[in-house]
Amino acid sequence: MEGFLKELGSIIHTRDATALRVKSADFSWFSPIMSAALGNRQAEVILSPKSEEEVVRIAAACAKHRVPLVARGGGTGNFGQAVPLAGGAVIEMTGLDRIVFDKGNVTRAQAGIRIANLDTHLRKSGRELRMHPSTKKLATLGGFIGGGHAGIGTVNWGILRDRGNLLGLRVITIEETPRALELRGDDVNLVHHAYGVNGIVTEAELPLAPAYEWLDTIVVFDDFGRAAEFGMALTTSDGILKKLVSVHAWPVPHYFVPLKPYLPMGKAAALLMIGAETREAFEALVKSFQGKVTLCVPQDNIYEYTWGHTTMHALRADRSLTHLVCIFPKVDTLGSIRRVHQKLGEEAFLHLEFKRFNGYMTAEGVPLFRYQGFEQITRLYRAFEAEGARIANVHTFLLQNGGMKDLDDKQIGFKRSVDPHLLMNPGKVAGLDDLPGGISGATLEAAQLPASGWAY
Ligand SMILES: Cc1cc2nc3c(=O)[nH]c(=O)nc-3n(C[C@H](O)[C@H](O)[C@H](O)COP(=O)(O)OP(=O)(O)OC[C@H]3O[C@@H](n4cnc5c(N)ncnc54)[C@H](O)[C@@H]3O)c2cc1C
């Protein structure tokens, strides 16, 4: 490590104990299983480059001194993606925050830019990102690409990996003489959702969407089944502008304390972003479903109660809760939702994000439940899958077992070519043998939970 540090020269770095603790953690505490498996693993140094040239120097020094390396954006990943399992260095990317170009309906920015800063800049000239995670204020572009998959806007544009949502990536390899690669077309998905094991992303190029005036909206319903049906009807009403369709069974709305005046006790709620231009058409749809609009205002923060934020609000109120993540089937989507709610609704409080996914409309389900152990999670996984929902296992940090990415030979070959010494984020890809001591105990047990994953 000392030889490595000497080579860093003027690159900002720290070995302060608090910084090491804070910058080695993410939101994996959403899962009690993963928290236990990760323990208190920490990096030995935090590096804060300000330019791509400094990133290249770090990559070369890591390769030369065989120092493990974990890239970090905002640290909001909740699958343990940014937790260093083998010590070494964390490279904090937030210093690379420049917009590289901004032409018409395409923008290119450095990977460390906070997504909200990029989006705010774009909206000033009538454009916006096609989608962003609910963590957009903290999350970085590179972190969203490395660890995220979808978000607000996905109801229109699909998930990040769908063709056309990510145009190009610039990636620095971890070699004694690092290379800068430009990935385009399908190759962007070699690095997307790869938990930062495939090189350091320094720039990303994205297509844009028109920026409408979005209204933060809440509609309440007596019955969750009706709310879900409304969610699907709104999602498939192509003429109505929307950016977010998020439906919650009671008691989930009960955890959204600041929204309490708009969320009557016992009611199911739809949290939405609706385009002001089509408000009347939207209201007609609400009326036909006997819903009641309790909020409809031009602001931009309702998304911070949806997607991963739903779990965060619930866990803040009750740390005994955890969640699972599933995708409902293409055929009989609403039937599958109704059946799981009917059978398991008392134990697993359902929350839905309507989305385009792999070319069709469906909903992601993120039920919250009080954690009672492996047996319970196994039973819940099986019960959801028996009703046609496919589970992505959010209680493991092993990339293959998460079920949101296929690690085929091309992926593994690419990993070995950009990181021949297997230094990037060791321990996240099973079978590579890159973690001293190997993978064991709770990690293996969590990886074996019966989740079939999301087929693409
Ligand atoms: C409350 C909450 C809500 C969330 N909502 C959503 C959501 O709506 N949609 C969604 O998809 N996810 C969501 N997530 C997960 C997470 O916020 C997103 O994945 C987010 O975009 C991660 O960005 P980040 O900058 O914080 O990444 P980090 O957590 O810092 O990193 C994520 C992964 O990417 C890698 N990485 C980071 N930067 C680079 C780089 N420059 N090059 C290579 N690899 C890199 C890291 O090593 C790590 O493996 C949520 C999480 C929380 C806690």
Side-chain angles (χ1 to χ4, degrees):
M1 180 55 70
E2 294 312 320
F4 169 72
L5 292 176
K6 264 195 197 130
E7 282 205 24
L8 296 178
S10 58
I11 296 172
I12 298 171
H13 59 277
T14 177
R15 304 190 79 182
D16 170 73
T18 307
L20 292 178
R21 182 171 47 77
V22 172
K23 300 291 163 106
S24 298
D26 67 0
F27 280 70
S28 39
W29 52 270
F30 278 15
S31 161
I33 299 174
M34 201 152 39
S35 297
L38 285 165
N40 294 318
R41 311 276 187 121
Q42 288 187 11
E44 295 154 75
V45 61
I46 312 295
L47 314 172
S48 305
K50 296 282 172 215
S51 65
E52 186 180 276
E53 184 264 322
E54 291 192 345
V55 171
V56 170
R57 274 168 54 206
I58 289 168
C62 283
K64 182 174 164 193
H65 295 274
R66 303 290 196 269
V67 172
L69 180 67
V70 175
R72 181 181 176 90
T76 66
N78 52 316
F79 308 143
Q81 299 107 311
V83 177
L85 298 182
V90 159
I91 176 168
E92 194 181 29
M93 296 298 292
T94 48
L96 276 77
D97 61 355
R98 221 166 30 82
I99 294 171
V100 179
F101 71 70
D102 182 15
K103 284 186 215 147
N105 289 317
V106 176
T107 195
R108 187 171 174 110
Q110 287 187 311
I113 194 167
R114 305 267 181 201
I115 297 173
N117 292 347
L118 179 57
D119 216 22
T120 303
H121 162 82
L122 294 165
R123 280 190 62 90
K124 284 181 194 153
S125 49
R127 300 151 309 142
E128 64 182 23
L129 294 171
R130 284 186 172 180
M131 71 192 75
H132 64 76
S134 62
T135 46
K136 86 165 171 178
K137 289 179 189 156
L138 278 181
T140 60
L141 191 52
F144 185 37
I145 291 161
H149 93 283
I152 292 86
T154 282
V155 70
N156 297 316
W157 296 100
I159 61 176
L160 199 47
R161 69 160 289 138
D162 285 341
R163 284 194 176 107
N165 283 331
L166 198 48
L167 302 178
L169 292 177
R170 186 171 164 89
V171 178
I172 305 300
T173 64
I174 312 301
E175 298 173 281
E176 285 79 351
T177 308
R179 292 167 291 147
L181 310 177
E182 177 73 14
L183 303 181
R184 302 195 73 86
D186 283 356
D187 283 350
V188 294
N189 282 331
L190 291 167
V191 169
H192 167 45
H193 206 79
Y195 293 4
V197 303
N198 281 346
I200 306 169
V201 177
T202 53
E203 292 178 9
E205 195 174 309
L206 303 156
L208 303 174
Y212 292 102
E213 183 191 346
W214 299 113
L215 303 173
D216 277 6
T217 302
I218 298 179
V219 187
V220 296
F221 296 86
D222 289 340
D223 169 54
F224 174 69
R226 193 87 180 134
E229 216 182 308
F230 167 79
M232 185 56 101
L234 175 58
T235 301
T236 51
S237 291
D238 292 333
I240 300 179
L241 297 169
K242 65 257 170 195
K243 194 172 173 184
L244 172 70
V245 181
S246 180
V247 171
H248 305 254
W250 188 265
V252 179
H254 155 78
Y255 298 118
F256 306 153
V257 178
L259 299 181
K260 207 173 167 188
Y262 317 105
L263 297 167
M265 180 89 107
K267 306 264 188 206
L271 274 54
L272 313 165
M273 288 170 74
I274 298 297
E277 292 84 348
T278 55
R279 182 174 177 162
E280 283 168 287
F282 163 72
E283 284 168 351
L285 183 72
V286 173
K287 198 170 166 204
S288 73
F289 277 86
Q290 291 96 43
K292 185 175 173 218
V293 177
T294 57
L295 179 79
C296 192
V297 291
Q299 57 185 31
D300 186 25
N301 58 26
I302 203 157
Y303 67 82
E304 287 185 327
Y305 296 88
T306 67
W307 290 83
H309 269 73
T310 304
T311 301
M312 193 182 77
H313 287 288
L315 262 70
R316 275 191 181 153
D318 181 350
R319 281 304 285 268
S320 71
L321 290 165
T322 187
H323 63 186
L324 63 81
V325 174
C326 69
I327 193 90
F328 286 100
K330 182 175 180 175
V331 177
D332 194 27
T333 313
L334 287 172
S336 176
I337 291 171
R338 269 199 213 95
R339 289 193 301 276
V340 290
H341 182 60
Q342 217 166 25
K343 290 187 179 167
L344 303 159
E346 295 285 314
E347 179 180 6
F349 316 141
L350 206 44
H351 141 224
L352 306 170
E353 297 299 340
F354 282 87
K355 64 201 283 191
R356 284 181 189 267
F357 172 83
N358 209 23
Y360 59 92
M361 296 288 191
T362 185
E364 174 179 322
V366 190
L368 300 160
F369 52 92
R370 293 204 169 78
Y371 177 62
Q372 290 160 16
F374 266 95
E375 239 172 72
Q376 176 208 30
I377 295 210
T378 304
R379 174 173 54 77
L380 285 174
Y381 275 23
R382 291 209 169 109
F384 272 76
E385 297 226 344
E387 298 305 341
R390 294 178 69 108
I391 304 274
N393 186 1
V394 290
H395 297 284
T396 177
F397 53 77
L398 293 175
L399 195 46
Q400 291 101 326
N401 300 86
M404 287 193 195
K405 189 167 185 73
D406 292 331
L407 277 190
D408 56 14
D409 290 350
K410 188 175 177 196
Q411 283 274 349
I412 297 292
F414 180 73
K415 157 76 179 167
R416 288 188 182 279
S417 76
V418 297
D419 179 22
H421 309 300
L422 304 182
L423 296 170
M424 285 210 78
N425 215 349
K428 304 295 166 65
V429 179
L432 278 184
D433 216 14
D434 56 353
L435 186 67
I439 293 165
S440 58
T443 306
L444 285 183
E445 212 181 338
Q448 281 154 14
L449 283 165
S452 56
W454 293 1
Y456 289 105

